[in-house]
Amino acid sequence: MNPSTIQIIGAALFAIALIHTFSTKFFERLARSRPQHAGIWHLLGEVEVVFGFWAMVLMLAMFFLQGKDVATAYIDSRNFTEPLFVFAIMVIAGTRPILQLANWLVEALARLIPLQTKLAHYFLVLALVPLLGSFITEPAAMTLAALVLRDRYLGAGVSNRFKYATLGVLFVNISIGGTLTPFAAPPVLMVAATWNWDIAFMITTFGWKAAVAVVFNAVAVTTLLRKELLGLQPSSTGATTHPVPLALIAVHLLFMVGVVVFAHHPAVFMGLFLFFLGVAHAYERHQDKLILREGLLVAFFLAGLVVLGGQQQWWLQPVLLSMNADAVYFGATALTAVTDNAALTYLGSLVEGLSDEFKYALVAGAVTGGGLTIIANAPNPAGIAILRDKFDDGAVHPLGLLAAALPPTLVAMLAFKLL
């Protein structure tokens, strides 16, 4: 394929955006050393802003080179349902009633496990919640797990080793933990209808293998961090200090279920979300501050990825189709680290006549590599937005995340390849 000028510019801007995500600490240092322009440097140091910023650069280039009609037609052709959905589900899942329900469930199950309570609770947050993502969707599971980890385990005095090991396992387990159903993980959702993958197929083909890897990763990191976990004094959450009425918890749960059920219909789930905002305002005494800012930043990040990603098909698809079923598994795992895994599987769904082995390898590779970088899986920016303030300089170092995610990623690779 001979790429057009805009496609070449889009690929170059995508590469620049990738480099930018690895350089956010540089902009934070500029903000401190050049206070007269600290605002713009802080803005460019926000990792969630990166892809949205460079997507706007792409649209300006398209506007000047091809005209307003072509630029607006391209934007209109993009599907922004996922950014809107992630925003809505993040805000609802991050409320005190939902967090209180999640804490009750985890604490009740922790008492049934023959381990010290701190160890059992930490293990369940990294094992049960990611698997729960198969039913409440991965973005909701990421939001719940990240908020619980932030409030109970990632406080002052925790080592960087603890923080990055926890983050690496969380991201990998969320990515693979949503494969028990065909609607919760973005890369699976992109192909499920086209390839007729139902719940029974997902559980028997992907789900049980993912569950084995999720539990193994959670056990491994709990064992690795056992000494530090036992020395922690987990802080109490607001949900524990100020219990929420059961009726309000039920109402919030219904809103969350409604948003999940109508996840493909933005007019419906955004209507439910606006109704939810009214209810949350009416019962402010039972709410913590809504994570609207974090949700909007994540939506902006994902929308930028949608815009920039639309110009990458010309080189991504030939790369994928040049591989056989064995090579595509490892290739998809590696490519996922530098592009959204849902984009990879979507490209695969456009091709007719793929073998069952190729389909399995493509999706397995896409979910396996979903924890390696912030852009690898749609829920990852949500986790970063919630947890980054607990890391040095308020930023998660991309190489630190990559190094921490490699061991659990290898476990997932072995599970999907050998089991």
Side-chain angles (χ1 to χ4, degrees):
M1 174 181 284
N2 294 320
S4 66
T5 301
I6 281 297
Q7 286 176 325
I8 294 173
I9 292 173
L13 290 176
F14 191 85
I16 292 171
L18 285 175
I19 296 171
H20 188 163
T21 60
F22 283 80
S23 310
T24 52
K25 283 194 174 184
F26 168 75
F27 291 102
E28 291 296 337
R29 286 195 293 269
L30 281 178
R32 290 192 294 271
S33 63
R34 300 182 182 181
Q36 67 272 27
H37 299 295
I40 187 65
W41 301 130
H42 277 305
L43 179 66
L44 293 175
E46 297 266 10
V47 71
E48 294 91 349
V49 170
V50 172
F51 275 82
F53 174 80
W54 291 107
M56 288 193 294
V57 174
L58 173 65
M59 294 315 302
L60 287 173
M62 192 174 288
F63 179 86
F64 285 111
L65 292 175
Q66 297 181 319
K68 183 186 100 171
D69 291 342
V70 173
T72 53
Y74 176 71
I75 284 292
D76 289 340
S77 71
R78 300 294 89 201
N79 186 346
F80 295 100
T81 299
E82 185 178 52
L84 289 171
F85 171 76
V86 172
F87 167 64
I89 203 69
M90 265 190 75
V91 176
I92 297 175
T95 56
R96 189 195 301 173
I98 297 297
L99 282 173
Q100 181 172 295
L101 178 63
N103 272 311
W104 281 349
L105 176 62
V106 171
E107 288 171 2
L109 291 174
R111 287 192 286 269
L112 301 177
I113 298 177
L115 284 175
Q116 208 276 347
T117 303
K118 294 177 186 176
L119 300 180
H121 186 278
Y122 178 83
F123 162 77
L124 286 171
V125 172
L126 291 177
L128 175 65
V129 178
L131 292 174
L132 188 62
S134 284
F135 305 95
I136 65 172
T137 73
E138 289 186 350
M142 177 68 82
T143 302
L144 286 173
L147 286 169
V148 172
L149 290 169
R150 182 195 68 184
D151 294 338
R152 295 184 66 116
Y153 295 103
L154 299 184
V158 176
S159 68
N160 279 332
R161 172 175 171 267
F162 186 102
K163 294 173 184 177
Y164 278 101
T166 299
L167 188 68
V169 170
L170 173 65
F171 277 19
V172 173
N173 279 5
I174 289 289
S175 182
I176 64 177
T179 57
L180 277 76
T181 62
F183 61 83
V188 175
L189 181 62
M190 289 294 180
V191 301
T194 304
W195 293 345
N196 298 314
W197 287 4
D198 57 15
I199 290 181
F201 175 86
M202 289 305 302
I203 291 176
T204 56
T205 307
F206 291 92
W208 72 273
K209 301 174 186 179
V212 170
V214 164
V215 172
F216 185 93
N217 286 336
V219 169
V221 75
T222 303
T223 304
L224 176 69
L225 303 177
R226 182 178 184 277
K227 185 176 179 180
E228 196 165 353
L229 277 168
L230 292 175
L232 290 177
Q233 295 295 329
S235 58
S236 297
T237 63
T240 304
T241 306
H242 306 287
V244 179
L246 290 176
L248 191 58
I249 293 176
V251 169
H252 278 59
L253 191 60
L254 285 174
F255 274 117
M256 191 165 81
V257 170
V259 170
V260 171
V261 169
F262 293 102
H264 304 300
H265 306 280
V268 179
F269 74 68
M270 286 305 293
L272 287 172
F273 176 71
L274 293 174
F275 187 16
F276 157 79
L277 289 180
V279 172
H281 180 71
Y283 292 91
E284 280 185 308
R285 65 187 181 279
H286 296 303
Q287 297 287 354
D288 298 317
K289 182 180 178 182
L290 298 180
I291 56 173
L292 292 169
R293 177 183 179 274
E294 293 86 345
L296 285 170
L297 281 174
V298 170
F300 184 58
F301 178 96
L302 294 175
L305 195 55
V306 168
V307 173
L308 279 175
Q311 296 295 328
Q312 313 309 315
Q313 183 174 352
W314 67 272
W315 66 268
L316 266 178
Q317 189 162 327
V319 168
L320 282 177
L321 297 182
S322 67
M323 303 176 187
N324 58 33
D326 289 328
V328 78
Y329 178 64
F330 300 102
T333 301
L335 285 171
T336 288
V338 295
T339 187
D340 181 54
N341 56 9
L344 287 182
T345 58
Y346 171 71
L347 292 177
S349 71
L350 300 177
V351 181
E352 296 183 0
L354 294 179
S355 67
D356 290 340
E357 292 79 8
F358 190 99
K359 294 175 182 177
Y360 173 85
L362 177 62
V363 174
V367 298
T368 296
L372 293 171
T373 62
I374 183 176
I375 70 168
N377 194 30
N380 292 359
I384 294 290
I386 293 168
L387 296 173
R388 65 180 179 186
D389 287 342
K390 298 298 182 179
F391 288 76
D392 293 344
D393 299 323
V396 175
H397 197 289
L399 292 179
L401 170 60
L402 179 64
L406 278 175
T409 297
L410 290 174
V411 171
M413 291 178 72
L414 291 173
F416 284 123
K417 194 69 177 173
L418 301 180
L419 292 182

